[in-house]
Amino acid sequence: MAADAVAARTRLPLAAAILLAIGAAIMLTPLLWTLALSFKANSALIGNSGAALGPPWTLENYGAILGNGQTMRWLLNSMIVSAGTTVGVLILTSLAGYGFARLEFAGRRFLFLFVLMGLAIPGQAVILSQHQLFAWANLHNSYPGLILPGLTTSFGVFFMTQYMRAIPRELDEAALLDGASHWRIFTRVILPLTVPAQSTLAVFTFLGSWNDYWWPLISVTRSEMYTLTVGLAAAQMNYAQTSGLGYLMAQAMFASLPIFIVYLIFQKQIIAAMAGTALK
Amino acid sequence: MSAGAGTRRDPGYAFIAPFLLVYCLVLIMPALHGIWLSMYVVDIWGDGRFAGLANYGRLFADPVFAQSLVNTLVVTLMVVPILTAIALALALALNRAGRGAAVLRGIFFSSAVLSVTIVTLIWRFILAPDAGLLGEAAQAIGAEPLPFLSSPGLALWALAITTIWWSIGLPMLLFLAGLQQIPGDLYEAAALDRASRWRTFTSITVPALKRTTILVVMLQTAAQLQLFGQSQLLTAGGPSGASRTVVLFMNETAFGRWELGYAQAAAEVLFVIILAVTLTQYWLTGRAGEGEHGR
């Protein structure tokens, strides 16, 4: 009887299924339309984007991107900045997480609260002062300048601390009695056990950094230091909106490709992790 | 080896020091400096002068700021209820095993991985009345296309529609997670009691999702209050300021006219509003938690 009830709940009413299909179409149409436009000759699209729906198709827009040093440079910048931010966050937060979760020292509770305070500070409240500070330190238009603000993640420390707290004490107490240093316990015992947490944090940090817009927009003034997000925004403004439509859409698709690949590979983890961590 | 060797007694400091250093330098110091900066009148690259609360006085008399504040609140009120309702409906429909549901979850989350630049690029050409997708569709059925990007009454809707399409994924996932945490035996007991579908929903699902709903509403509110990229890239704040948000106002004031102190004052006002939202969330979830204990 209970099994019957479960089966009833897993079958979707027809009306709901139709609504879902319409919703999915609304989600996908903009992406498919963009994809279609990216394979059309720019000349065919002038004043008539409806021409996207049929052949002829062409690869000229993608060819133009690959032959354009600037877009490739922006892609490289985005990769360096996102990878640098991700590695930096993982190192800083796992060190801090170990300190807060596994070690006793004076002021630990207070310092942890002090770090959690950062959760309440939104980016817009500090970004202008950061801009002044980085100008003073001569860090604008540089990779450190693009990476550093992304490293101050209170959430990351909180997340790693919670995760490391849940690891049984016995594991490192034995090692400690054997005279192992905390550095050794951290690298040999704790870190290997936190791989799932590390990969979760890595995916989020990477996504967030890859898509960040405001900081790179104001920190970088030289176009060769643009990230993809900012570079494409600048290209949008420069291009005559109709004459380069196919090229712009190809750039959009090209820029989204790496992140879609990350998403497809890690989809399960992303969904599980987002759901799990946000409800802690 | 060396990282643990700070002091023999308290190696904890050595582990937390690297993060704390970056945290203090790049976040806490600018946060404090921001308060000071908001009380400063800065001219173009000139040395500023201290002016106390003058920036705040000017801000509250500034119709451009007032308009951007109202726009921000209105777009938040447009986005948050619709987004929450759709996300909840999607989660209820897709909280099931099977390949179809998994694919649909992936589709509804897919737009969330795009950057704001791509999202606004796509939607600018969808919403454009002459050659856009919506315009073409309207003409195909013989209707007049709506001038989303150029009409003052519709510009905020353009931001809202784009934002909802972009950000539906995360709240859907949060609701899905909330549903997964409801113990299955509650539903089995309801089924044994021959409770109706609607009764099961209102007496089991709705109360269990209370905390998740508060979380979703507050996270989305805080996010929409900081809306920037859509406003700048989709409509450039126009027409005549009809879709300028507070953060776009900040950006224009700081990096268009280099009035950093004035822009920072706007940032502090927004900060206080967002802080109030965050504190309300803690208070409400605390109460929701108490309610669950009582059951």
Side-chain angles (χ1 to χ4, degrees):
Chain A
M1 237 193 336
D4 280 356
V6 172
R9 270 192 291 111
T10 51
R11 205 178 52 235
L12 205 60
L14 185 65
I18 292 172
L19 276 177
L20 265 181
I22 295 174
I26 293 175
M27 288 308 292
L28 283 180
T29 305
L31 295 174
L32 296 176
W33 189 64
T34 307
L35 189 65
L37 286 183
S38 73
F39 287 109
K40 299 295 293 184
N42 290 297
S43 52
L45 293 173
I46 293 177
N48 180 23
S49 59
L53 295 173
W57 311 99
T58 170
L59 283 170
E60 71 170 35
N61 295 316
Y62 289 94
I65 291 172
L66 295 176
N68 178 345
Q70 275 228 302
T71 310
M72 299 312 277
R73 174 74 204 237
W74 297 340
L75 179 73
L76 180 72
N77 288 343
S78 275
M79 284 180 165
I80 292 172
V81 170
S82 299
T85 307
T86 306
V87 170
V89 161
L90 291 185
I91 293 174
L92 292 178
T93 59
S94 42
L95 282 171
Y98 183 80
F100 282 125
R102 316 288 296 185
L103 297 170
E104 281 295 338
F105 51 91
R108 184 176 58 102
R109 274 164 200 278
F110 168 79
L111 286 172
F112 192 58
L113 274 178
F114 175 65
V115 169
L116 289 191
M117 242 173 54
L119 287 171
I121 304 177
Q124 44 83 18
V126 292
I127 199 167
L128 301 183
S129 289
Q130 282 177 344
H131 187 273
Q132 278 205 319
L133 174 74
F134 280 57
W136 173 80
N138 206 13
L139 282 173
H140 288 311
N141 291 305
S142 74
Y143 293 125
L146 284 167
I147 289 170
L148 270 169
L151 300 184
T152 64
T153 162
S154 292
F155 174 76
V157 174
F158 173 70
F159 180 62
M160 290 311 301
T161 305
Q162 294 294 87
Y163 199 89
M164 290 186 185
R165 228 173 233 162
I167 297 171
R169 283 270 160 198
E170 295 80 44
L171 279 175
D172 44 335
E173 265 163 12
L176 206 56
L177 285 177
D178 286 346
S181 70
H182 278 293
W183 179 248
R184 205 178 157 76
I185 294 171
F186 170 67
T187 51
R188 298 290 166 83
V189 181
I190 302 295
L191 269 190
L193 291 173
T194 60
V195 170
Q198 304 277 354
S199 47
T200 301
L201 194 57
V203 170
F204 288 127
T205 309
F206 193 89
L207 275 176
S209 175
W210 186 273
N211 287 333
D212 190 20
Y213 176 59
W214 198 14
W215 178 253
L217 175 73
I218 64 177
S219 178
V220 175
T221 50
R222 297 210 314 263
S223 67
E224 72 268 21
M225 282 304 292
Y226 282 163
T227 58
L228 260 180
T229 306
V230 176
L232 291 193
Q236 281 180 45
M237 311 224 177
N238 289 341
Y239 265 90
Q241 304 213 341
T242 42
S243 64
L245 184 55
Y247 181 64
L248 274 182
M249 294 306 184
Q251 274 191 321
M253 281 295 135
F254 180 75
S256 312
L257 201 62
I259 218 72
F260 266 116
I261 292 171
V262 169
Y263 174 52
L264 287 179
I265 296 175
F266 292 102
Q267 193 182 348
K268 246 187 195 147
Q269 288 91 322
I270 292 179
I271 289 184
M274 274 211 170
T277 54
L279 285 178
K280 272 282 143 64
Chain B
M1 287 277 167
S2 57
T7 48
R8 283 275 148 234
R9 273 256 214 60
D10 285 337
Y13 295 121
F15 280 95
I16 63 169
F19 177 81
L20 275 184
L21 185 71
V22 177
Y23 179 74
C24 288
L25 275 178
V26 184
L27 192 75
I28 297 301
M29 218 172 70
L32 298 174
H33 176 261
I35 298 171
W36 175 84
L37 180 66
S38 75
M39 292 189 267
Y40 234 67
V41 173
V42 188
D43 303 309
I44 300 177
W45 290 123
D47 297 335
R49 64 182 169 78
F50 189 76
L53 296 176
N55 281 331
Y56 291 94
R58 189 181 149 203
L59 207 54
F60 289 120
D62 184 343
V64 179
F65 176 70
Q67 187 191 23
S68 65
L69 190 57
V70 170
N71 288 341
T72 306
L73 297 176
V74 169
V75 86
T76 303
L77 286 175
M78 286 171 170
V79 170
V80 175
I82 300 178
L83 199 56
T84 309
I86 299 178
L88 176 59
L90 283 175
L92 288 170
L94 298 178
N95 182 36
R96 57 196 69 236
R99 191 148 186 85
V103 169
L104 283 171
R105 285 196 294 266
I107 288 175
F108 282 103
F109 188 75
S110 60
S111 62
V113 299
L114 299 174
S115 75
V116 69
T117 309
I118 311 294
V119 169
T120 52
L121 174 64
I122 294 173
W123 278 87
R124 196 143 46 94
F125 288 103
I126 289 176
L127 296 171
D130 43 352
L133 189 65
L134 274 185
E136 304 268 351
Q139 276 162 359
I141 58 167
E144 198 60 25
L146 288 171
F148 270 108
L149 302 178
S150 52
S151 150
L154 290 174
L156 281 180
W157 277 111
L159 300 193
I161 292 167
T162 306
T163 305
I164 291 167
W165 180 83
W166 185 28
S167 35
I168 193 67
L170 180 63
M172 176 190 75
L173 288 186
L174 294 181
F175 277 123
L176 277 167
L179 288 171
Q180 304 272 314
Q181 292 190 338
I182 305 176
D185 48 2
L186 280 180
Y187 287 110
E188 278 165 27
L192 286 177
D193 287 349
R194 307 216 165 270
S196 70
R197 206 177 251 252
W198 177 250
R199 176 113 176 85
T200 310
F201 178 69
T202 52
S203 2
I204 296 176
T205 313
V206 170
L209 284 182
K210 199 169 164 187
R211 285 172 74 102
T212 313
T213 311
I214 295 169
L215 178 77
V216 165
V217 168
M218 296 302 166
L219 280 180
Q220 286 303 325
T221 304
Q224 303 320 325
L225 288 173
Q226 297 182 69
L227 190 142
F228 167 59
Q230 299 95 303
S231 173
Q232 191 208 26
L233 294 165
L234 201 61
T235 57
S240 55
S243 60
R244 182 189 286 115
T245 62
V246 172
V247 177
L248 180 58
F249 172 87
M250 278 175 61
N251 191 61
E252 290 172 355
T253 308
F255 304 109
R257 303 200 303 268
W258 290 100
E259 292 189 86
L260 283 171
Y262 190 45
Q264 184 62 36
E268 300 295 343
V269 171
L270 195 57
F271 177 33
V272 169
I273 297 174
I274 293 171
L275 198 61
V277 170
T278 312
L279 292 176
T280 308
Q281 181 207 331
Y282 283 127
W283 182 68
L284 281 176
T285 37
R287 284 173 62 99
E290 280 163 31
E292 271 163 31
H293 274 288
R295 266 195 306 133

